[in-house]
Amino acid sequence: PMRLKQYGVMLEDVLRAGRESTAAAGGGFFQEPSREAVIRIQSRAQTIEDIKNTPIRAVSGLPVTIGQVADVMFAKALPR
């Protein structure tokens, strides 16, 4: 909580950034007179470093990343 407060970030901001780092997004359309294609952007975090480097927001023009406000590590799978 102290690191979140230090950067003016809410837990919801971190959760949203994490969700967005693993989401597909529309990139727009490519159009020619005889055809049209949809452009999709895959933004999939593949490593812990990718997650750590995911930006949450900018403070004074500099990005605040998940790794600056949270400890990011592998954890054991939850029992089901």
Side-chain angles (χ1 to χ4, degrees), residues 29-38:
F29 295 92
F30 174 78
Q31 294 178 321
E32 291 182 339
S34 62
R35 66 182 175 154
E36 179 178 278
V38 177

Side-chain angles (χ1 to χ4, degrees), residues 23-51:
F29 295 92
F30 174 78
Q31 294 178 321
E32 291 182 339
S34 62
R35 66 182 175 154
E36 179 178 278
V38 177
I39 300 170
R40 291 183 52 89
I41 300 169
Q42 293 292 335
S43 176
R44 302 264 182 216
Q46 296 181 358
T47 66
I48 286 181
E49 285 304 312
D50 291 342
I51 296 169

Side-chain angles (χ1 to χ4, degrees), residues 8-76:
V9 173
M10 307 269 307
L11 178 59
E12 291 80 16
D13 299 326
V14 177
L15 296 174
R16 183 183 65 251
R19 280 191 305 272
E20 290 174 0
S21 75
T22 60
F29 295 92
F30 174 78
Q31 294 178 321
E32 291 182 339
S34 62
R35 66 182 175 154
E36 179 178 278
V38 177
I39 300 170
R40 291 183 52 89
I41 300 169
Q42 293 292 335
S43 176
R44 302 264 182 216
Q46 296 181 358
T47 66
I48 286 181
E49 285 304 312
D50 291 342
I51 296 169
K52 286 180 181 179
N53 293 328
T54 298
I56 301 169
R57 61 178 287 209
V59 174
S60 301
L62 299 173
V64 176
T65 64
I66 290 177
Q68 288 176 286
V69 300
D71 296 324
V72 181
M73 65 190 85
F74 282 112
K76 292 182 181 181

